[in-house]
Amino acid sequence: MVDSVREQLLASHEEFRRLAQEHNQHCQRLHSLIEKRYLTEDEKLEEVRIKKVKLLLKDKMQMI
C-alpha cells in the first residue's frame, strides 16, 4: 500500500517528486562514501550532513 501511494505521489505531485529525486541523489552520494575504505575529515563531515539532509527530506515527503 505504501508503495502504491508513493507511486501515485511520484506521478502526480511535483514537490514530492523533487524531494524524492533529491533524496535519491543523496543516497547515491552516501553510498559512494560508504564504499570508501577511509574517509577524509571533510568526507566524514559530508557523510553526517548527508544523513541529516536525507532525514529532513524523508520527513517532508511523509508530511505530503
Side-chain angles (χ1 to χ4, degrees), residues 17-28:
R17 188 171 38 250
R18 182 187 60 77
L19 293 170
Q21 183 180 22
E22 190 176 338
H23 186 272
N24 188 41
Q25 290 170 347
H26 288 299
C27 283
Q28 291 173 358

Side-chain angles (χ1 to χ4, degrees), residues 29-40 43:
R29 175 62 180 148
L30 184 59
H31 183 72
S32 70
L33 288 173
I34 290 172
E35 286 183 333
K36 288 187 169 188
R37 188 172 184 127
Y38 300 104
L39 296 177
T40 66
E43 289 171 330

